[in-house]
Amino acid sequence: MSGRAGRMLAQAKINLALRVFGKEADGYHSIETVLLRIELGDDIEIRTTSGARSLHCFEMRDKRPEENLAYRAAELFANETGWPKGFEIEIVKNVPIGGGLGGGSADAAAVLQILNTLSSKRLPDARLLELAGRVGSDTPFLASDHVMALSWGRGEKLLRLKPLPSRDVSLFLPPFGIDTGEAYALLDEARGPYTGAGPKLTTEMFRDWNSAARNSVNDFEPVMRKRHKEIDALLSRGQRAGPFYRMSGSGSTVFKIADISQQSFGSADEVPAPAIPEGTTRIVTRTAESVVPVELLD
């Protein structure tokens, strides 16, 4: 073991907007989305070895390492660059699994950033992001130095946006996760071949929090609201009283931005907001204003 090591907070993300278009020739959907980092993240530590490769994560102890995006990212980096021969990855999960917060993608992005920082021959940013795009659609954003970005294509195209001022964000976590592939299949089944409008999100729409709330959208919500009463109840709270509630990614997490309102669909005085569903966990964090850097442990 060489002992070269680094660690990083793998920051999660929320989607302030997410639009899903039709399938491309490769079978993947094209999207456009506005991504914003939050302060909640997983703790990732990597130590290079002389050959052995391993991953330790208590929450995913029943899965093979090859099923973990972080492990696959490390293998991809090693295979593409010839370094390192081996690695030990330690993950302490703080981001819920299957919640639409990009936890697995964030872990993979952190692995790529740590290994690139440790390497004696660092990859250019563009090359690192290309590798990230081969791991997952959220990974390029989370491997970049962007706090907030407009992303399109399969997530590999990024336009940096000025980060919105940090605010408290409540994450409401129903007692279940949602598989991303299943979510796309359900969306396709519900609406059939996509015939709607093309990309229309602009930087001006997300210049401040009030504008972001007005222009926020998530194409997965109608499908998931019909399928999961907990998600419907959480989103109904925003519709009844006006606060900025949105589902992140394909779910199951619903977030609320403090002190920001969307256009109200009713009056809180007329109809009380539904109660938070039983079994729902609430985590309070903040939206990020910076990217946490890699810390060298040598």
Side-chain angles (χ1 to χ4, degrees):
M1 181 180 296
S2 68
R4 302 184 66 190
R7 65 185 174 199
M8 188 178 190
L9 179 70
Q11 293 166 284
K13 58 80 186 175
I14 54 176
N15 298 80
L16 297 182
L18 175 56
R19 301 182 65 232
V20 181
F21 308 122
K23 283 186 179 181
E24 301 295 330
D26 59 6
Y28 288 92
H29 293 77
S30 58
I31 63 169
E32 67 170 345
T33 183
V34 175
L35 299 154
L36 175 62
R37 293 177 190 258
I38 58 178
E39 292 184 354
L40 178 70
D42 294 337
D43 297 307
I44 311 294
E45 184 171 321
I46 302 178
R47 187 169 298 277
T48 60
T49 74
S50 58
R53 297 181 175 183
S54 63
L55 179 142
H56 304 283
C57 177
F58 178 80
E59 290 77 8
M60 302 185 74
R61 59 192 178 279
D62 295 328
K63 294 184 177 294
R64 296 181 298 109
E66 293 79 9
E67 297 179 65
N68 191 294
L69 289 182
Y71 187 93
R72 286 156 56 183
E75 278 202 319
L76 177 63
F77 188 94
N79 294 340
E80 291 291 321
T81 67
W83 182 92
K85 290 184 178 179
F87 48 80
E88 292 179 353
I89 304 173
E90 295 278 353
I91 301 177
V92 177
K93 291 292 295 181
N94 301 305
V95 180
I97 297 172
L101 298 171
S105 294
D107 296 347
V111 164
L112 292 174
Q113 290 171 289
I114 293 170
L115 290 177
N116 203 39
T117 300
L118 293 174
S119 175
S120 60
K121 296 181 179 179
R122 295 188 59 167
L123 297 177
D125 290 346
R127 175 64 172 145
L128 192 70
L129 295 187
E130 187 272 326
L131 293 183
R134 291 160 62 180
V135 178
S137 60
D138 289 329
T139 315
F141 167 69
L142 294 165
S144 74
D145 61 356
H146 304 342
V147 178
M148 180 172 165
L150 174 62
S151 175
W152 65 99
R154 283 183 53 194
E156 79 284 3
K157 299 175 182 178
L158 297 169
L159 176 64
R160 184 196 301 267
L161 300 181
K162 182 179 179 181
L164 295 173
S166 182
R167 286 189 176 271
D168 285 344
V169 54
S170 295
L171 307 174
F172 296 97
L173 314 169
F176 55 85
I178 294 177
D179 178 78
T180 302
E182 180 182 357
Y184 275 97
L186 290 170
L187 180 61
D188 287 341
E189 180 182 346
R191 71 182 186 186
Y194 182 75
T195 57
K200 62 182 182 181
L201 300 179
T202 68
T203 58
E204 185 66 15
M205 291 178 177
F206 297 88
R207 66 187 184 278
D208 57 49
W209 275 115
N210 289 327
S211 182
R214 289 194 302 270
N215 291 291
S216 182
V217 64
N218 186 324
D219 285 352
F220 285 105
E221 285 182 2
V223 176
M224 294 307 165
R225 293 185 75 159
K226 290 179 180 179
R227 191 172 181 85
H228 299 288
K229 62 181 181 180
E230 295 89 348
I231 292 175
D232 182 62
L234 288 166
L235 291 171
S236 292
R237 292 175 62 83
Q239 289 181 324
R240 297 283 176 82
F244 184 5
Y245 278 77
R246 184 96 286 152
M247 191 174 75
S248 185
S250 57
S252 60
T253 301
V254 172
F255 64 85
K256 174 190 174 184
I257 303 296
D259 303 321
I260 299 295
S261 295
Q262 294 173 300
Q263 180 180 356
S264 178
F265 288 85
S267 168
D269 296 329
E270 296 171 1
V271 183
I276 295 174
E278 184 177 356
T280 299
T281 301
R282 182 186 183 212
I283 297 175
V284 179
T285 183
R286 288 184 68 81
T287 61
E289 290 187 320
S290 62
V291 177
V292 177
V294 174
E295 178 184 358
L296 296 177
L297 300 179
D298 292 12

